Amino acid sequence: MFNEKIKKLQEVIDNSNNIVFFGGAGVSTASGLKDFRGKNGLYKEKYEKTPEYYLSSECLYQEPEEFYNFYRDKMNCLNVKPNIVHTYLADLEKKGKLKAIITQNIDNLHQKAGSKNVLEIHGTVFKNYCDHCYKEYNVDYIFNSKDVPRCECGGLIRPDVVLYGEMLPNCFDEAIKYISKADTLIVAGTSLTVQPACGLVDLFKGKNLIIINNDNTPYNNQATLFINDDLVDVFSNLK
């Protein structure tokens, strides 16, 4: 059954020239990063408060020490390397088949693999700025500092990441345009349960909706092809 589905996926890719990839945290787990809802995800760990709170704008501005303790411990991806999923997609883009990568991840791994058109709808840890004067700070400054990072003007330095309770960036509108025009949408490594990101799938009107995930999603019945398997195993078998 696995080989049959891989063959079908390969045929779809070979016959498509306007592919969009929409990925979640599961894309980066093979690189050593934890996802949120997987069996070994952050939600399975025990904290005094929830991961949603630690990664919220409320925590950042009311308890910045708590925010940065969690953020530095769990979101540091400076030394993480891309895996086969990232490199395969970068190659697919070079071939002209993949038009855009829409990612919920903030780890910059698609860019490290060589992808150019990456829409980071939840932002990135690699950009940081002062919330008062908007001076920019590099990622090393954030992860190498010991206390709450402050700008020389006194403002709080924050990551350019969409925290819980915040609006999505302008590139979300661009993501909508790419998905609405695609003939093939490959969704991988996401549970498709977090709004408004998962709502992007509803906007797809093309021919092939491919979902690849270890767990079921609410969109399985809408998929042209659902592959319930490890992403590394799937992408390692593609040409």
Side-chain angles (χ1 to χ4, degrees):
M1 180 65 73
F2 175 77
N3 289 335
E4 291 177 6
K5 289 189 174 183
I6 292 296
K7 183 179 179 180
K8 173 62 177 176
L9 176 56
Q10 187 69 65
E11 290 176 354
V12 169
I13 292 172
D14 290 343
N15 294 313
S16 299
N17 291 303
N18 188 354
I19 302 171
V20 171
F21 179 86
F22 177 38
V27 174
S28 296
T29 54
S31 293
L33 294 175
K34 287 197 172 187
D35 61 11
F36 285 84
R37 292 170 177 79
K39 61 181 181 180
N40 296 313
L42 290 177
Y43 287 2
K44 297 296 191 294
E45 297 183 12
K46 293 184 178 180
Y47 307 101
E48 183 179 344
K49 299 171 184 175
T50 65
E52 291 99 329
Y53 174 74
Y54 288 121
L55 294 175
S56 69
S57 56
E58 179 184 2
C59 183
L60 173 64
Y61 289 107
Q62 294 188 6
E63 299 183 277
E65 296 88 356
E66 292 284 335
F67 174 88
Y68 272 108
N69 284 340
F70 185 89
Y71 183 81
R72 290 192 186 102
D73 184 41
K74 302 300 180 183
M75 300 293 120
N76 190 340
C77 52
L78 297 186
N79 297 318
V80 179
K81 296 181 180 179
N83 60 59
I84 183 63
V85 181
H86 301 104
T87 55
Y88 180 86
L89 293 172
D91 185 57
L92 202 62
E93 183 186 54
K94 290 177 182 177
K95 293 177 180 177
K97 287 182 168 291
L98 182 66
K99 304 305 181 183
I101 291 173
I102 301 165
T103 180
Q104 300 176 75
N105 298 334
I106 59 176
D107 51 38
N108 206 52
L109 291 180
H110 286 294
Q111 291 91 329
K112 284 185 178 180
S115 293
K116 304 299 182 185
N117 193 21
V118 182
L119 306 179
E120 299 169 307
I121 61 173
H122 289 160
T124 173
V125 302
F126 282 78
K127 295 180 181 178
N128 306 273
Y129 64 93
C130 170
D131 69 350
H132 180 68
C133 72
Y134 298 102
K135 179 179 179 180
E136 296 181 358
Y137 288 82
N138 65 37
V139 65
D140 295 308
Y141 185 88
I142 299 299
F143 284 112
N144 291 333
S145 58
K146 300 296 183 182
D147 301 312
V148 175
R150 295 281 178 183
C151 179
E152 56 190 23
C153 77
L156 176 67
I157 299 172
R158 59 157 296 165
D160 194 5
V161 168
V162 179
L163 303 174
Y164 285 96
E166 294 184 330
M167 299 289 290
L168 292 177
N170 292 334
C171 71
F172 192 78
D173 293 333
E174 195 174 354
I176 291 173
K177 294 178 182 178
Y178 275 107
I179 284 182
S180 63
K181 295 178 181 179
D183 56 32
T184 295
L185 176 61
I186 300 175
V187 182
T190 173
S191 61
L192 292 175
T193 57
V194 177
Q195 289 285 4
C198 70
L200 287 170
V201 179
D202 294 319
L203 303 175
F204 176 66
K205 306 302 180 184
K207 184 179 180 181
N208 306 296
L209 173 59
I210 312 297
I211 298 178
I212 309 167
N213 201 49
N214 274 329
D215 301 312
N216 289 322
T217 81
Y219 291 84
N220 284 7
N221 292 335
Q222 299 180 34
T224 313
L225 176 64
F226 173 61
I227 303 179
N228 179 212
D229 217 303
D230 182 77
L231 267 62
V232 170
D233 290 340
V234 172
F235 283 85
S236 295
N237 282 280
L238 295 173
K239 298 177 182 178

